[in-house]
Amino acid sequence: MEYSPPPLFKQGASARVKMTVFACISIALLLVDSHMRSLETVRYYAGAVLSPVQKVALLPRDAIYGVGDYFSTLSSLEKQVRELKTQQIVNSQALQQARLQSAENAQLRKLMDARERLPVKSQLAEVLYDARDANSRKIILDRGTHHDVVLGLPVIDNQGVVGQVTRVFPFTSEVTLLSDKEQAIPVQLLRNGLRSVAYGRGKSGNLELRFTAPNADIQVGDVVVTSGLDGVYPAGLAVARVTQVENSAGGSFGGVICQPLAGITNNTQLLILMSTPDMPARPPEEAERAPRKHNNKMAPIKDAPKEGEGQPAAGATGAAAATPAPNGAAGLFPVMPPPPKPAAPADAAAAPGTTPAAAPA
């Protein structure tokens, strides 16, 4: 009985033989190509033919790599966007702070320049907050009695008058703004010196010149300054600019509306004038004179009596000659005629020194 190898052994032997043959052919081709370089053209055309096939074969791998790169790139970009947004917020806050500090520095420079030009001593104060009363126009400063602030001191900025100190605490003080309804300040026009009084108009933020004649020489654009007549504000400080003039021929007074020149609602630093202008002492009040009798009435002044009128008769003696005429010449104070005496009764006795009238027959 003959031995026959299994089919798998036969297939493996034939495969080994084929591999050996191909290996020998490859070695031979490598040797020939290394010495003669005759396969470069074949390799070139083979690469050109197999390149599309290679790309198609690599498409699944490239797709997998592309999806992974996409998600990793997207995650990285989202992280960068978050970091950039955070940095943008920080930079925006820093920019706002820089702008605020720049504005405050500019305002402080202007206040220092105005402080050097003022004829009186002053000190800087910072606005802490507005007063709680919504119906008034008041602010709170960080200066009080500890800083020598007293009632009545004026408060200004680099453009004009802001208000007046109306309440003082140890470390803070309350300032009533010019636009408050209870605030009034004597002013005059810079152009012609016309004097008036400016009253606040409340929430509107404007001022009103009251008690001005309808034909007063006031024009839109006129600058209103302090007159210094109140002894509180130095004369010549800018107050407002005339924005509206209403001349009514039928009214007793004209209406004049002004816009304050000072930054009443947009300042964070202000100047407090620490002294009021020196005013001459007021003259002493005159003592009241006691009213004289009949001094409130004027007696009619008549012409001087003619010759022979109002003179006592010749030979007249006694009290009748010494009594002056009731309408004699007037002196420094007019003399009023004496009041009439009541009539005597009919049966009264005759006065001494006189003869009673004869009875009728």
Side-chain angles (χ1 to χ4, degrees), residues 15-348:
R16 285 195 294 271
V17 172
K18 292 179 180 179
M19 291 179 60
T20 303
V21 173
F22 288 136
C24 292
I25 294 172
S26 299
I27 293 172
L29 292 174
L30 289 173
L31 293 175
V32 173
D33 182 60
S34 62
H35 290 284
M36 302 179 63
R37 299 189 179 280
S38 59
L39 297 178
E40 289 183 358
T41 304
V42 177
R43 187 183 301 109
Y44 174 78
Y45 286 108
V49 172
L50 296 177
S51 178
V53 178
Q54 185 180 3
K55 290 182 178 180
V56 172
L58 293 177
L59 282 178
R61 188 202 67 175
D62 294 341
I64 294 173
Y65 286 165
V67 171
D69 292 342
Y70 171 77
F71 285 108
S72 62
T73 304
L74 182 61
S75 176
S76 177
L77 290 176
E78 290 179 352
K79 182 179 179 180
Q80 290 181 5
V81 168
R82 287 193 299 268
E83 292 178 354
L84 290 176
K85 286 183 177 179
T86 304
Q87 187 66 30
Q88 183 182 9
I89 293 174
V90 174
N91 293 338
S92 177
Q93 293 177 353
L95 180 61
Q96 292 177 1
Q97 291 293 331
R99 290 178 178 176
L100 178 61
Q101 292 178 359
S102 177
E104 290 181 353
N105 291 337
Q107 179 66 20
L108 287 174
R109 291 192 190 98
K110 295 177 181 178
L111 288 178
M112 294 303 295
D113 294 339
R115 185 179 182 181
E116 294 178 356
R117 295 193 300 267
L118 289 174
V120 296
K121 182 181 178 182
S122 62
Q123 66 170 321
L124 285 171
E126 184 176 359
V127 179
L128 298 179
Y129 49 85
D130 292 339
R132 296 180 179 179
D133 189 2
N135 297 323
S136 63
R137 305 282 292 175
K138 299 178 181 179
I139 57 177
I140 305 300
L141 302 182
D142 63 343
R143 293 291 185 269
T145 55
H146 186 71
H147 307 90
D148 301 330
V149 178
V150 296
L151 288 175
L153 294 180
V155 180
I156 66 171
D157 65 359
N158 62 299
Q159 296 179 344
V161 180
V162 174
Q164 185 179 10
V165 177
T166 52
R167 295 180 66 185
V168 182
F169 304 97
F171 297 99
T172 58
S173 58
E174 183 183 79
V175 176
T176 302
L177 303 178
L178 288 179
S179 56
D180 190 85
K181 290 183 178 180
E182 299 180 357
Q183 189 71 359
I185 175 174
V187 296
Q188 65 180 5
L189 295 183
L190 185 62
R191 179 172 56 87
N192 54 14
L194 179 65
R195 291 195 299 270
S196 181
V197 180
Y199 291 83
R201 303 192 68 189
K203 294 184 179 180
S204 64
N206 296 328
L207 304 177
E208 180 181 4
L209 301 184
R210 299 181 183 176
F211 313 118
T212 57
N215 57 350
D217 186 12
I218 302 177
Q219 302 175 3
V220 175
D222 284 345
V223 177
V224 180
V225 298
T226 55
S227 62
L229 298 180
D230 56 351
V232 176
Y233 298 95
L237 296 178
V239 177
R241 186 184 302 275
V242 178
T243 58
Q244 183 179 355
V245 178
E246 297 178 357
N247 294 329
S248 177
S252 300
F253 301 102
V256 180
I257 307 301
C258 304
Q259 179 70 32
L261 293 176
I264 294 180
T265 58
N266 55 359
N267 276 333
T268 55
Q269 289 86 18
L270 299 172
L271 280 177
I272 302 177
L273 303 185
M274 300 305 296
S275 61
T276 56
D278 297 332
M279 300 291 291
R282 293 181 178 272
E285 296 183 359
E286 298 181 359
E288 295 184 359
R289 292 180 293 183
R292 296 189 178 186
K293 188 177 181 181
H294 306 299
N295 196 30
N296 57 345
K297 296 181 180 180
M298 296 293 294
I301 301 177
K302 297 183 179 181
D303 298 336
K306 298 180 180 179
E307 185 178 356
E309 293 183 2
Q311 300 294 333
T317 58
T323 302
N327 294 329
L332 182 61
F333 294 96
V335 179
M336 298 300 296
K341 295 181 180 180
D347 56 351

